[in-house]
Coordinates of all heavy atoms in Angstrom, one line a residue:
M1 N -219.0 127.2 -11.2 CA -218.2 127.7 -10.1 C -218.3 129.2 -10.0 O -218.3 129.7 -8.9 CB -216.7 127.2 -10.3 CG -215.8 127.5 -9.1 SD -216.2 126.4 -7.7 CE -214.9 126.8 -6.7
A2 N -218.3 129.9 -11.2 CA -218.4 131.3 -11.2 C -219.6 131.8 -10.6 O -219.7 132.9 -9.9 CB -218.1 131.9 -12.6
K3 N -220.8 131.2 -10.9 CA -222.0 131.5 -10.4 C -222.1 131.4 -8.8 O -222.6 132.3 -8.1 CB -223.1 130.7 -11.0 CG -223.4 131.1 -12.4 CD -224.6 130.2 -12.9 CE -225.1 130.6 -14.3 NZ -226.2 129.9 -14.8
W4 N -221.4 130.3 -8.4 CA -221.5 130.1 -6.9 C -220.6 131.2 -6.3 O -221.1 131.7 -5.2 CB -220.9 128.8 -6.6 CG -220.9 128.5 -5.1 CD1 -221.9 127.9 -4.4 CD2 -219.8 128.6 -4.2 NE1 -221.7 127.8 -3.1 CE2 -220.3 128.2 -2.9 CE3 -218.5 129.0 -4.3 CZ2 -219.6 128.2 -1.8 CZ3 -217.7 129.0 -3.1 CH2 -218.2 128.6 -1.9
A5 N -219.5 131.6 -6.8 CA -218.7 132.7 -6.2 C -219.4 134.1 -6.3 O -219.4 134.8 -5.3 CB -217.3 132.8 -7.0
A6 N -220.1 134.3 -7.4 CA -220.9 135.5 -7.5 C -222.0 135.5 -6.5 O -222.3 136.5 -5.8 CB -221.5 135.6 -8.9
A7 N -222.6 134.4 -6.3 CA -223.7 134.3 -5.3 C -223.2 134.5 -3.8 O -223.8 135.1 -3.1 CB -224.5 132.9 -5.3
M8 N -222.1 133.9 -3.6 CA -221.4 134.1 -2.3 C -221.0 135.5 -2.0 O -221.2 136.1 -0.9 CB -220.2 133.1 -2.2 CG -220.6 131.7 -2.0 SD -221.8 131.4 -0.7 CE -220.8 131.6 0.7
E9 N -220.5 136.2 -3.1 CA -220.1 137.6 -3.0 C -221.3 138.5 -2.7 O -221.3 139.3 -1.9 CB -219.5 138.0 -4.2 CG -218.8 139.4 -4.2 CD -218.1 139.8 -5.5 OE1 -217.3 138.9 -5.9 OE2 -218.4 140.8 -6.0
M10 N -222.5 138.2 -3.4 CA -223.7 138.9 -3.2 C -224.2 138.7 -1.7 O -224.6 139.6 -1.1 CB -224.8 138.5 -4.3 CG -226.1 139.3 -4.1 SD -225.9 141.0 -4.3 CE -225.8 141.1 -6.0
L11 N -224.2 137.5 -1.3 CA -224.6 137.1 0.0 C -223.8 137.9 1.1 O -224.3 138.5 2.1 CB -224.6 135.6 0.3 CG -225.0 135.2 1.7 CD1 -226.5 135.6 1.9 CD2 -224.8 133.6 1.8
L12 N -222.5 137.9 0.9 CA -221.6 138.6 1.8 C -221.9 140.1 1.8 O -222.0 140.7 2.9 CB -220.1 138.4 1.4 CG -219.1 139.1 2.2 CD1 -219.2 138.6 3.7 CD2 -217.7 138.8 1.7
L13 N -222.2 140.7 0.6 CA -222.5 142.1 0.6 C -223.9 142.4 1.3 O -224.1 143.4 2.1 CB -222.8 142.6 -0.8 CG -221.4 142.8 -1.6 CD1 -221.6 143.1 -3.1 CD2 -220.6 143.9 -1.0
V14 N -224.9 141.5 1.2 CA -226.1 141.6 1.9 C -225.9 141.6 3.4 O -226.5 142.4 4.2 CB -227.2 140.6 1.4 CG1 -228.4 140.6 2.2 CG2 -227.5 140.9 0.0
V15 N -225.0 140.7 3.8 CA -224.8 140.5 5.3 C -224.1 141.7 5.8 O -224.5 142.2 6.9 CB -224.1 139.2 5.5 CG1 -223.6 139.1 7.0 CG2 -224.9 138.0 5.2
V16 N -223.2 142.2 5.1 CA -222.4 143.4 5.6 C -223.3 144.6 5.6 O -223.4 145.3 6.6 CB -221.2 143.7 4.6 CG1 -220.6 145.0 4.9 CG2 -220.2 142.6 4.8
A17 N -224.2 144.8 4.6 CA -225.1 145.8 4.6 C -226.1 145.7 5.7 O -226.4 146.8 6.4 CB -225.9 145.9 3.3
A18 N -226.6 144.6 6.0 CA -227.6 144.4 7.1 C -226.9 144.7 8.4 O -227.6 145.3 9.3 CB -228.1 143.0 7.1
A19 N -225.7 144.3 8.6 CA -224.9 144.6 9.8 C -224.7 146.1 10.0 O -224.9 146.6 11.1 CB -223.6 143.8 9.8
A20 N -224.4 146.8 8.9 CA -224.3 148.2 9.0 C -225.5 148.9 9.3 O -225.5 149.8 10.3 CB -223.7 148.7 7.7
V21 N -226.7 148.4 8.8 CA -227.9 149.0 9.2 C -228.3 148.8 10.7 O -228.7 149.7 11.3 CB -229.1 148.5 8.3 CG1 -230.4 148.9 8.8 CG2 -228.8 149.0 6.9
A22 N -227.9 147.5 11.1 CA -228.2 147.2 12.5 C -227.4 148.1 13.5 O -227.9 148.5 14.5 CB -227.9 145.7 12.7
V23 N -226.2 148.4 13.1 CA -225.3 149.2 14.0 C -225.9 150.6 14.0 O -226.0 151.2 15.1 CB -223.9 149.2 13.4 CG1 -223.0 150.3 14.1 CG2 -223.3 147.8 13.7
V24 N -226.3 151.2 12.8 CA -226.9 152.5 12.8 C -228.1 152.6 13.6 O -228.3 153.5 14.4 CB -227.1 153.0 11.3 CG1 -227.8 154.2 11.3 CG2 -225.7 153.1 10.6
V25 N -229.0 151.6 13.4 CA -230.3 151.6 14.2 C -230.0 151.5 15.7 O -230.7 152.1 16.5 CB -231.2 150.5 13.7 CG1 -232.3 150.3 14.6 CG2 -231.7 150.8 12.3
A26 N -229.1 150.7 16.1 CA -228.8 150.5 17.5 C -228.2 151.7 18.1 O -228.4 152.0 19.3 CB -227.8 149.3 17.6
Q27 N -227.6 152.6 17.3 CA -226.9 153.8 17.8 C -227.9 155.0 17.9 O -227.6 156.0 18.5 CB -225.7 154.2 17.1 CG -224.6 153.1 17.3 CD -223.4 153.4 16.6 OE1 -223.3 154.4 15.6 NE2 -222.3 152.8 16.8
A28 N -229.0 154.8 17.2 CA -229.9 156.0 17.2 C -230.6 156.2 18.6 O -230.9 155.2 19.2 CB -231.0 155.7 16.1
P29 N -230.7 157.5 19.0 CA -231.2 157.7 20.3 C -232.7 157.3 20.3 O -233.5 157.5 19.4 CB -231.1 159.2 20.6 CG -231.0 159.8 19.1 CD -230.4 158.6 18.3
P30 N -233.1 156.7 21.5 CA -234.5 156.3 21.5 C -235.4 157.6 21.6 O -235.0 158.7 22.1 CB -234.6 155.6 22.9 CG -233.4 156.1 23.7 CD -232.3 156.5 22.7
P31 N -236.6 157.5 21.2 CA -237.5 158.7 21.2 C -237.9 158.9 22.7 O -237.8 157.9 23.5 CB -238.8 158.2 20.4 CG -238.7 156.7 20.5 CD -237.3 156.3 20.6
P32 N -238.2 160.1 23.1 CA -238.5 160.4 24.5 C -239.7 159.7 24.9 O -240.6 159.5 24.1 CB -238.6 161.9 24.5 CG -239.0 162.3 23.1 CD -238.3 161.3 22.2
Q33 N -239.8 159.3 26.2 CA -240.9 158.7 26.8 C -241.7 159.8 27.3 O -241.3 160.3 28.4 CB -240.5 157.7 27.9 CG -239.8 156.4 27.3 CD -240.6 155.7 26.3 OE1 -241.8 155.5 26.5 NE2 -240.0 155.1 25.3
C34 N -242.7 160.2 26.7 CA -243.5 161.4 27.2 C -244.3 161.1 28.4 O -245.3 160.3 28.2 CB -244.3 162.0 26.1 SG -243.3 162.6 24.7
D35 N -243.8 161.5 29.5 CA -244.5 161.1 30.7 C -244.5 162.4 31.6 O -243.5 162.7 32.2 CB -243.8 159.9 31.5 CG -244.5 159.6 32.8 OD1 -245.4 160.3 33.3 OD2 -244.0 158.7 33.5
P36 N -245.6 163.1 31.7 CA -245.7 164.4 32.5 C -245.3 164.2 33.9 O -244.8 165.0 34.6 CB -247.1 164.8 32.3 CG -247.7 164.0 31.2 CD -246.9 162.8 31.0
G37 N -245.5 163.0 34.5 CA -245.1 162.7 35.8 C -243.7 162.9 36.1 O -243.2 163.2 37.2
L38 N -242.8 162.7 35.1 CA -241.4 163.0 35.2 C -241.0 164.4 35.4 O -239.9 164.7 35.7 CB -240.7 162.4 34.0 CG -240.8 160.9 33.7 CD1 -240.1 160.5 32.4 CD2 -240.3 160.1 34.9
L39 N -242.0 165.3 35.2 CA -241.8 166.8 35.4 C -242.1 167.2 36.9 O -242.1 168.4 37.2 CB -242.5 167.5 34.4 CG -242.0 167.3 33.0 CD1 -242.9 168.1 31.9 CD2 -240.6 167.7 32.8
S40 N -242.4 166.2 37.7 CA -242.8 166.6 39.0 C -241.8 167.4 39.8 O -242.2 168.3 40.6 CB -243.1 165.4 39.9 OG -242.0 164.5 40.1
P41 N -240.4 167.3 39.6 CA -239.5 168.3 40.2 C -239.7 169.7 39.8 O -239.2 170.6 40.4 CB -238.1 167.7 39.8 CG -238.3 166.3 39.3 CD -239.8 166.3 38.8
C42 N -240.5 169.9 38.8 CA -240.7 171.3 38.3 C -242.0 171.9 38.8 O -242.4 173.0 38.3 CB -240.7 171.2 36.7 SG -239.2 170.7 36.0
A43 N -242.7 171.2 39.7 CA -244.1 171.7 40.1 C -244.0 173.1 40.7 O -244.7 174.0 40.4 CB -244.7 170.7 41.1
A44 N -243.0 173.3 41.7 CA -242.9 174.5 42.4 C -242.5 175.7 41.4 O -243.2 176.8 41.4 CB -241.8 174.6 43.5
P45 N -241.6 175.5 40.4 CA -241.4 176.6 39.5 C -242.6 176.9 38.6 O -242.9 178.1 38.2 CB -240.2 176.1 38.6 CG -239.6 175.1 39.5 CD -240.6 174.5 40.4
I46 N -243.4 175.9 38.2 CA -244.6 176.1 37.4 C -245.6 176.8 38.1 O -246.3 177.8 37.7 CB -245.1 174.8 36.8 CG1 -244.1 174.2 35.7 CG2 -246.4 174.9 36.1 CD1 -244.4 172.9 35.2
F47 N -245.9 176.4 39.4 CA -247.0 176.9 40.1 C -246.7 178.2 40.9 O -247.5 179.0 41.0 CB -247.6 175.9 41.2 CG -248.3 174.7 40.5 CD1 -247.7 173.4 40.6 CD2 -249.5 174.9 39.8 CE1 -248.4 172.4 40.0 CE2 -250.1 173.8 39.2 CZ -249.6 172.6 39.2
F48 N -245.5 178.3 41.3 CA -245.1 179.5 42.2 C -244.1 180.4 41.6 O -243.7 181.4 42.2 CB -244.7 179.0 43.5 CG -245.6 178.1 44.2 CD1 -245.4 176.8 44.4 CD2 -246.9 178.5 44.6 CE1 -246.3 175.8 45.0 CE2 -247.8 177.6 45.2 CZ -247.5 176.3 45.3
G49 N -243.5 180.0 40.5 CA -242.5 180.9 39.8 C -241.1 180.9 40.5 O -240.3 181.7 40.3
T50 N -240.8 179.8 41.3 CA -239.5 179.7 42.0 C -238.5 179.3 41.0 O -238.8 178.8 39.9 CB -239.6 178.7 43.1 OG1 -239.9 177.5 42.6 CG2 -240.5 179.1 44.2
A51 N -237.2 179.4 41.3 CA -236.2 179.0 40.5 C -236.1 177.5 40.3 O -236.3 176.8 41.2 CB -234.8 179.6 41.0
P52 N -235.9 177.0 39.1 CA -235.9 175.6 38.9 C -234.6 174.9 39.5 O -233.5 175.6 39.5 CB -235.9 175.4 37.4 CG -235.4 176.6 36.9 CD -235.7 177.7 37.8
S53 N -234.7 173.8 40.1 CA -233.6 173.0 40.6 C -232.8 172.3 39.4 O -233.4 172.2 38.4 CB -234.1 172.0 41.5 OG -234.9 171.0 41.0
A54 N -231.8 171.8 39.8 CA -230.9 171.0 38.8 C -231.7 169.9 38.4 O -231.8 169.4 37.2 CB -229.6 170.6 39.4
S55 N -232.5 169.2 39.3 CA -233.3 168.1 39.0 C -234.4 168.4 38.0 O -234.8 167.6 37.1 CB -233.9 167.5 40.3 OG -234.8 166.5 40.0
C56 N -235.1 169.6 38.2 CA -236.1 170.1 37.3 C -235.6 170.3 35.9 O -236.1 169.8 34.9 CB -236.7 171.3 37.9 SG -237.8 172.2 36.7
C57 N -234.4 171.0 35.8 CA -233.8 171.2 34.5 C -233.4 169.9 33.8 O -233.6 169.8 32.6 CB -232.6 172.0 34.6 SG -233.0 173.8 35.1
S58 N -233.0 168.9 34.5 CA -232.6 167.6 34.0 C -233.8 167.0 33.4 O -233.8 166.4 32.4 CB -231.9 166.7 35.0 OG -231.6 165.5 34.5
S59 N -234.9 166.9 34.3 CA -236.2 166.4 33.8 C -236.7 167.1 32.6 O -237.2 166.5 31.6 CB -237.2 166.5 34.9 OG -236.8 165.7 36.0
L60 N -236.6 168.5 32.5 CA -237.0 169.2 31.4 C -236.3 168.9 30.1 O -236.8 168.7 29.0 CB -236.9 170.7 31.6 CG -238.0 171.4 32.5 CD1 -237.6 172.8 32.7 CD2 -239.4 171.3 31.8
K61 N -235.0 168.6 30.3 CA -234.2 168.3 29.1 C -234.5 167.0 28.6 O -234.5 166.8 27.3 CB -232.6 168.4 29.4 CG -232.2 169.8 29.6 CD -230.8 170.0 30.0 CE -230.4 171.4 30.2 NZ -229.2 171.7 30.9
A62 N -234.9 166.0 29.5 CA -235.2 164.7 29.1 C -236.6 164.6 28.4 O -236.8 163.8 27.5 CB -235.2 163.8 30.3
Q63 N -237.4 165.6 28.7 CA -238.8 165.6 28.2 C -239.0 166.7 27.1 O -240.0 166.9 26.6 CB -239.8 166.0 29.3 CG -239.9 164.8 30.4 CD -240.7 163.6 29.7 OE1 -241.8 163.8 29.5 NE2 -240.0 162.5 29.6
Q64 N -237.9 167.3 26.7 CA -237.9 168.4 25.8 C -238.6 168.1 24.5 O -239.3 168.8 24.0 CB -236.5 168.8 25.5 CG -236.3 170.1 24.6 CD -234.9 170.6 24.5 OE1 -234.0 170.0 25.1 NE2 -234.7 171.6 23.7
G65 N -238.4 166.8 24.0 CA -239.1 166.4 22.8 C -240.6 166.3 22.9 O -241.4 166.0 22.0
C66 N -241.1 166.4 24.1 CA -242.5 166.2 24.4 C -243.3 167.5 24.6 O -244.5 167.6 24.8 CB -242.7 165.4 25.7 SG -241.9 163.8 25.6
F67 N -242.6 168.6 24.7 CA -243.2 169.9 25.0 C -244.4 170.3 24.1 O -245.5 170.6 24.6 CB -242.2 171.1 24.9 CG -241.2 171.1 26.0 CD1 -240.1 172.0 25.9 CD2 -241.3 170.2 27.1 CE1 -239.2 172.0 26.9 CE2 -240.3 170.3 28.1 CZ -239.2 171.1 28.0
C68 N -244.3 170.1 22.8 CA -245.4 170.4 21.9 C -246.6 169.4 22.2 O -247.7 169.9 22.1 CB -244.9 170.3 20.5 SG -243.8 171.7 20.1
Q69 N -246.3 168.2 22.4 CA -247.3 167.3 22.8 C -248.1 167.7 24.0 O -249.3 167.7 24.0 CB -246.8 165.9 23.0 CG -247.9 164.9 23.3 CD -247.3 163.5 23.6 OE1 -246.3 163.1 22.9 NE2 -247.9 162.7 24.4
Y70 N -247.4 168.1 25.0 CA -248.0 168.7 26.2 C -248.8 170.0 26.0 O -249.9 170.1 26.5 CB -247.0 168.9 27.3 CG -246.2 167.7 27.8 CD1 -244.9 167.8 28.3 CD2 -246.8 166.4 27.8 CE1 -244.2 166.7 28.7 CE2 -246.0 165.3 28.2 CZ -244.8 165.4 28.7 OH -244.1 164.4 29.1
A71 N -248.2 170.8 25.1 CA -248.8 172.1 24.9 C -250.1 171.9 24.1 O -251.0 172.8 24.3 CB -247.9 173.1 24.1
K72 N -250.3 170.8 23.4 CA -251.6 170.6 22.6 C -252.5 169.8 23.4 O -253.7 169.7 23.0 CB -251.2 169.9 21.4 CG -250.4 170.9 20.4 CD -249.9 170.1 19.1 CE -249.1 171.1 18.2 NZ -248.6 170.4 17.1
D73 N -252.1 169.2 24.5 CA -253.0 168.4 25.3 C -253.8 169.3 26.3 O -253.2 170.0 27.1 CB -252.2 167.5 26.1 CG -253.0 166.4 26.9 OD1 -254.0 166.7 27.4 OD2 -252.6 165.2 27.0
P74 N -255.2 169.3 26.3 CA -255.9 170.1 27.2 C -255.7 170.0 28.6 O -255.9 170.9 29.4 CB -257.4 169.7 26.8 CG -257.3 169.1 25.5 CD -255.9 168.5 25.4
M75 N -255.2 168.8 29.0 CA -254.9 168.6 30.4 C -253.7 169.3 30.9 O -253.5 169.6 32.1 CB -254.7 167.0 30.7 CG -255.9 166.3 30.7 SD -255.7 164.5 31.1 CE -255.0 164.6 32.7
Y76 N -252.7 169.5 30.0 CA -251.4 170.1 30.4 C -251.1 171.5 29.8 O -250.2 172.1 30.1 CB -250.2 169.2 30.0 CG -250.5 167.7 30.6 CD1 -250.7 166.8 29.8 CD2 -250.5 167.6 31.9 CE1 -251.0 165.4 30.3 CE2 -250.6 166.3 32.5 CZ -250.9 165.3 31.7 OH -251.1 164.0 32.1
A77 N -251.9 171.9 28.7 CA -251.7 173.1 28.0 C -251.5 174.3 28.8 O -250.7 175.1 28.6 CB -252.8 173.3 26.9
S78 N -252.4 174.5 29.8 CA -252.3 175.7 30.6 C -251.0 175.8 31.4 O -250.6 176.9 31.7 CB -253.6 175.8 31.5 OG -253.6 174.8 32.5
Y79 N -250.5 174.6 31.8 CA -249.3 174.6 32.5 C -248.1 174.9 31.7 O -247.2 175.7 31.9 CB -249.1 173.2 33.2 CG -250.3 172.9 34.2 CD1 -251.1 171.8 33.9 CD2 -250.4 173.7 35.3 CE1 -252.2 171.5 34.7 CE2 -251.6 173.4 36.2 CZ -252.3 172.2 35.9 OH -253.4 171.9 36.7
I80 N -247.9 174.2 30.6 CA -246.8 174.3 29.7 C -246.8 175.7 29.0 O -245.7 176.1 28.6 CB -246.7 173.1 28.7 CG1 -245.3 173.0 28.0 CG2 -247.7 173.2 27.7 CD1 -244.2 172.5 29.0
N81 N -247.9 176.3 28.8 CA -248.0 177.6 28.1 C -248.0 178.7 29.1 O -248.1 179.8 28.6 CB -249.3 177.6 27.2 CG -249.2 176.6 26.1 OD1 -248.2 176.4 25.5 ND2 -250.3 176.0 25.8
S82 N -247.9 178.4 30.3 CA -248.0 179.5 31.4 C -246.6 180.3 31.3 O -245.5 179.9 30.9 CB -248.1 179.0 32.8 OG -246.9 178.3 33.2
T83 N -246.6 181.5 31.8 CA -245.6 182.4 31.9 C -244.4 181.8 32.9 O -243.3 181.8 32.4 CB -246.0 183.8 32.5 OG1 -246.9 184.4 31.7 CG2 -244.8 184.8 32.6
N84 N -244.9 181.2 33.9 CA -243.9 180.6 34.8 C -243.3 179.5 34.1 O -242.0 179.3 34.3 CB -244.6 180.1 36.1 CG -245.0 181.2 37.1 OD1 -244.5 182.3 36.9 ND2 -245.8 180.8 38.0
A85 N -243.9 178.7 33.4 CA -243.2 177.5 32.7 C -242.2 178.1 31.6 O -241.2 177.5 31.5 CB -244.4 176.6 32.0
R86 N -242.6 179.1 31.0 CA -241.7 179.7 29.9 C -240.5 180.2 30.7 O -239.3 180.1 30.1 CB -242.4 180.7 29.1 CG -243.4 180.1 28.2 CD -244.1 181.2 27.3 NE -245.2 180.5 26.5 CZ -244.9 179.9 25.4 NH1 -243.7 179.7 25.0 NH2 -245.9 179.4 24.7
K87 N -240.6 180.9 31.8 CA -239.5 181.4 32.6 C -238.6 180.2 33.0 O -237.3 180.3 33.0 CB -240.0 182.3 33.7 CG -240.5 183.6 33.3 CD -241.0 184.3 34.7 CE -241.7 185.6 34.3 NZ -242.2 186.3 35.6
M88 N -239.2 179.1 33.5 CA -238.6 178.0 34.0 C -237.7 177.4 32.9 O -236.5 177.0 33.1 CB -239.5 177.0 34.6 CG -238.9 175.7 34.9 SD -240.2 174.5 35.4 CE -241.1 174.3 33.8
I89 N -238.3 177.2 31.7 CA -237.7 176.6 30.6 C -236.4 177.4 30.2 O -235.3 176.9 29.9 CB -238.6 176.4 29.4 CG1 -239.6 175.3 29.7 CG2 -237.9 176.0 28.0 CD1 -240.8 175.2 28.8
A90 N -236.6 178.7 30.1 CA -235.5 179.6 29.8 C -234.4 179.6 30.9 O -233.2 179.6 30.5 CB -236.1 181.1 29.6
A91 N -234.8 179.5 32.0 CA -233.8 179.5 33.1 C -233.0 178.2 33.1 O -231.8 178.2 33.5 CB -234.5 179.6 34.6
C92 N -233.5 177.2 32.6 CA -232.7 175.9 32.3 C -231.9 175.9 31.1 O -231.3 175.0 30.8 CB -233.7 174.7 32.4 SG -234.5 174.4 34.0
G93 N -232.0 177.0 30.4 CA -231.3 177.1 29.1 C -231.7 176.3 28.0 O -231.0 175.8 27.1
I94 N -233.1 176.0 28.0 CA -233.7 175.2 27.0 C -234.4 176.1 26.0 O -235.2 176.9 26.5 CB -234.6 174.1 27.6 CG1 -233.8 173.2 28.6 CG2 -235.4 173.3 26.5 CD1 -234.7 172.3 29.4
P95 N -234.2 176.0 24.7 CA -234.9 176.8 23.8 C -236.4 176.5 23.8 O -236.8 175.3 23.9 CB -234.3 176.6 22.5 CG -233.6 175.3 22.6 CD -233.3 175.1 24.1
L96 N -237.3 177.5 23.7 CA -238.7 177.3 23.7 C -239.0 176.7 22.3 O -238.5 177.2 21.3 CB -239.5 178.7 23.9 CG -239.4 179.3 25.2 CD1 -240.0 180.6 25.2 CD2 -240.2 178.4 26.2
P97 N -239.9 175.7 22.3 CA -240.1 175.0 21.0 C -241.1 175.9 20.2 O -241.9 176.6 20.7 CB -240.8 173.7 21.4 CG -241.4 174.1 22.8 CD -240.5 175.0 23.4
N98 N -241.0 175.7 18.9 CA -242.0 176.3 18.0 C -243.0 175.2 17.6 O -242.6 174.3 16.8 CB -241.3 176.9 16.8 CG -242.3 177.5 15.9 OD1 -243.5 177.7 16.1 ND2 -241.8 178.1 14.8
C99 N -244.1 175.2 18.3 CA -245.0 174.0 18.0 C -246.1 174.3 16.9 O -246.9 173.4 16.6 CB -245.8 173.8 19.3 SG -244.8 173.3 20.7
G100 N -246.0 175.4 16.3 CA -246.8 175.9 15.1 C -247.5 174.9 14.4 O -248.5 174.5 14.1

């Protein structure tokens, strides 16, 4: 009987631990979906140096975790590393990433 109680206690601990892990995993923010197309509201500020719109800033904040990936991609590097892009990022109050 004592072995059965100890086994049930161990099983209960495993179930509680698994539930706690599931809650923590469920609450972790999802990784950003790196999609440069989502930055289309920022085309004018990047190409022409105009002030970024609220939509542009919102898009930038959503894609912030992707900046270094874009900066290293030959297709997007010249845009993300441009003076206008840096001004736009700063105007939106987003810190420039250190992609070192």
